[in-house]
Amino acid sequence: MIIKEINIRKMKMTMKHPFTTSFGTMQEKDFLLVEAKDELGNSGWGESVAFHSPWYNEETLETNLHMIQDFLIPLVLGTTVGHPDEISERFRPIRQNNMAKSTVEGAIWDLYAKRNQLTLAEALGGKRDKIEVGISVGIHENVEDLVQTVRGFVEEGYKRIKVKIKPGYDVEVMRELRNQFPDVPLMADANSAYTLEDVELLKQLDEFNLTMIEQPLASDDIIDHATLQKQMTTPVCLDESIHSLEDTRKALELGSTKIINIKIGRVGGLTEAKKIHDYCMEKGIPVWCGGMLESGIGRAHNVALTTLPNFVLPGDTAGSSRYWEEDIISPEVVVEDGYITVPTAYGIGYEPNFDAMDKFTVEQYRYQAAK
Ligand code: OSB
Ligand code: MG
């Protein structure tokens, strides 16, 4: 297929509820969408998961826009693509900027699947027709409010509850949740809020039978996590520290992690995500799909990826209505009894809802291949 046109939309949406992590609170969601079109008029969509400011990783919406416009589009526009796996190879000379790369690559995966009359899940080799869903719960003002929020999600049927923790809001919070919900799969995500000085504190979490603790230590660390894992029985799961298959291999060799959170954007796209999945499967390491508070476009990519067989733990892929009054896809992503039914329409399987999309679009850019 020939990449004939690329469109970028800068989006501004407001989440239904503020979301608080150890870094701060977010409610405005500014992000990019990329649409890629082929010579037959097929169209594929990708979403950048970079945030407005660089608290999760170094990328932002604006650095992504720069990378996409000035470096990535010139590598694909007007060229022939046989298979989307070629894209990450083509982007290899450009260092890092994984979320920017993933946006363009994701649009081309969707385009490829549609052109070949496959669902994105099928194009990736996924087999499941429904996926298990967990939910990530932000830091609350007080534990009573948190318990109430969690109770609501447990009653809705979410298969696993993840709560954000930070120093001063950790052991007692998890103790109370475990008391209230003795049988619910629970986990904690620190978003890098601790150091090895906190080992004694973190070890206290072992009592609560957590499925895992996610990224307790520095966002660029795989050494200290190995030291920590040796002293804790709760499995450590890496999120921020993993950018590639190579990072995964090294972290597993060091014993820094027992579970991997795969985020498509963080690892530079679906091709790399699938490589990490396959490697972990070979090594007997479970993986799950993380979330970045995506709109429906990014969410649809997450759903498709989760159909691969080693996604054996519920992901942070909650339904559209958890985040948005109105999502930008039709139908929206719906969770029923803790499951999302994988769509059967070609590509990402959900149509862009242009009325909604236009409402939330603040800038648009169009690039067409020279004839
Ligand atoms: O660490 O997994 C994370 C949200 C924003 C940035 C980082 C993270 C998160 C979440 C929420 O935990 C995941 C979601 O619901 O999309
Ligand atoms: Mg995380």
Side-chain angles (χ1 to χ4, degrees):
M1 61 189 184
I2 304 170
I3 309 298
K4 277 292 191 191
E5 185 175 319
I6 301 227
N7 297 310
I8 305 175
R9 286 177 185 243
K10 192 190 281 188
M11 308 293 290
K12 191 175 205 48
M13 290 172 75
T14 303
M15 292 190 293
K16 262 190 191 169
H17 311 283
F19 190 81
T20 302
T21 70
S22 58
F23 282 90
T25 300
M26 257 180 88
Q27 188 157 21
E28 292 305 310
K29 182 71 163 106
D30 303 281
F31 63 97
L32 299 175
L33 294 174
V34 163
E35 179 188 22
K37 290 186 172 174
D38 70 4
E39 77 282 15
L40 305 178
N42 295 300
S43 147
W45 290 85
E47 174 170 342
S48 158
V49 298
F51 295 128
H52 178 266
S53 64
W55 64 267
Y56 171 83
N57 71 340
E58 75 289 353
E59 297 183 79
T60 69
L61 165 146
E62 292 294 337
T63 68
N64 274 217
L65 185 60
H66 164 52
M67 290 305 301
I68 292 168
Q69 290 180 314
D70 298 334
F71 294 100
L72 303 178
I73 288 177
L75 290 175
V76 296
L77 191 63
T79 72
T80 299
V81 175
H83 188 276
D85 283 344
E86 295 162 21
I87 301 301
S88 50
E89 214 34 62
R90 227 183 267 185
F91 289 168
R92 192 173 299 281
I94 293 168
R95 296 212 197 269
Q96 302 186 18
N97 293 285
N98 281 353
M99 292 174 175
K101 292 173 178 172
S102 171
T103 311
V104 176
E105 195 233 42
I108 292 174
W109 266 103
D110 181 27
L111 177 64
Y112 169 85
K114 283 174 178 148
R115 183 181 171 113
N116 290 283
Q117 304 199 324
L118 298 166
T119 65
L120 180 58
E122 287 165 346
L124 289 164
K127 295 273 189 302
R128 293 198 179 99
D129 55 14
K130 57 180 187 171
I131 63 165
E132 281 197 318
V133 183
I135 193 160
S136 174
V137 182
I139 288 168
H140 279 51
E141 287 278 324
N142 59 64
V143 183
E144 295 72 56
D145 287 358
L146 175 68
V147 167
Q148 199 185 345
T149 300
V150 168
R151 193 176 308 285
F153 291 138
V154 169
E155 283 166 5
E156 278 184 56
Y158 283 99
K159 300 284 183 196
R160 165 287 262 152
I161 306 288
K162 153 171 149 183
V163 295
K164 296 291 188 181
I165 57 169
K166 64 175 183 180
Y169 180 99
D170 42 40
V171 177
E172 292 318 311
V173 170
M174 297 316 294
R175 186 188 310 283
E176 181 58 15
L177 286 175
R178 187 41 95 208
N179 281 340
Q180 296 282 338
F181 308 103
D183 303 319
V184 168
L186 274 181
M187 60 175 284
D189 184 359
N191 288 111
S192 310
Y194 299 89
T195 70
L196 279 184
E197 311 231 307
D198 302 309
V199 169
E200 288 311 313
L201 181 143
L202 293 168
K203 278 165 66 174
Q204 293 178 53
L205 295 171
D206 283 341
E207 268 184 77
F208 310 128
N209 188 29
L210 304 180
T211 316
M212 71 196 89
I213 179 167
E214 185 179 343
Q215 197 74 35
L217 308 179
S219 63
D220 57 0
D221 170 77
I222 56 171
I223 306 281
D224 287 354
H225 280 97
T227 306
L228 175 66
Q229 181 69 92
K230 285 192 190 78
Q231 299 177 66
M232 277 187 97
T233 56
T234 305
V236 171
C237 167
L238 290 178
D239 172 356
E240 282 90 329
S241 296
I242 300 293
H243 310 96
S244 62
L245 172 60
E246 271 297 280
D247 285 353
T248 306
R249 177 183 67 75
K250 290 169 188 169
L252 290 177
E253 281 180 17
L254 286 170
S256 323
T257 188
K258 292 184 174 162
I259 297 169
I260 303 281
N261 167 337
I262 299 184
K263 288 182 181 168
I264 303 166
R266 195 190 65 230
V267 304
L270 283 165
T271 296
E272 193 74 12
K274 191 169 149 52
K275 285 184 190 166
I276 295 171
H277 163 275
D278 294 352
Y279 181 81
C280 287
M281 188 151 123
E282 217 180 274
K283 301 281 176 198
I285 298 294
V287 305
W288 56 281
C289 185
M292 290 289 280
L293 312 168
E294 288 92 343
S295 84
I297 299 290
R299 196 163 299 283
H301 285 260
N302 289 341
V303 170
L305 180 67
T306 305
T307 62
L308 294 174
N310 195 38
F311 281 86
V312 289
L313 293 163
D316 280 345
T317 50
S320 298
S321 67
R322 149 93 175 121
Y323 308 88
W324 316 111
E325 292 294 350
E326 183 184 21
D327 204 343
I328 57 173
I329 52 165
S330 176
E332 299 200 346
V333 176
V334 176
V335 175
E336 263 176 335
D337 211 18
Y339 290 95
I340 292 170
T341 301
V342 179
T344 52
Y346 299 142
I348 59 174
Y350 303 85
E351 288 298 317
N353 171 350
F354 285 106
D355 286 342
M357 222 180 238
D358 288 346
K359 244 191 287 183
F360 302 124
T361 300
V362 292
E363 284 172 28
Q364 282 197 66
Y365 306 87
R366 167 179 293 207
Y367 299 86
Q368 282 174 307
K371 285 272 151 42

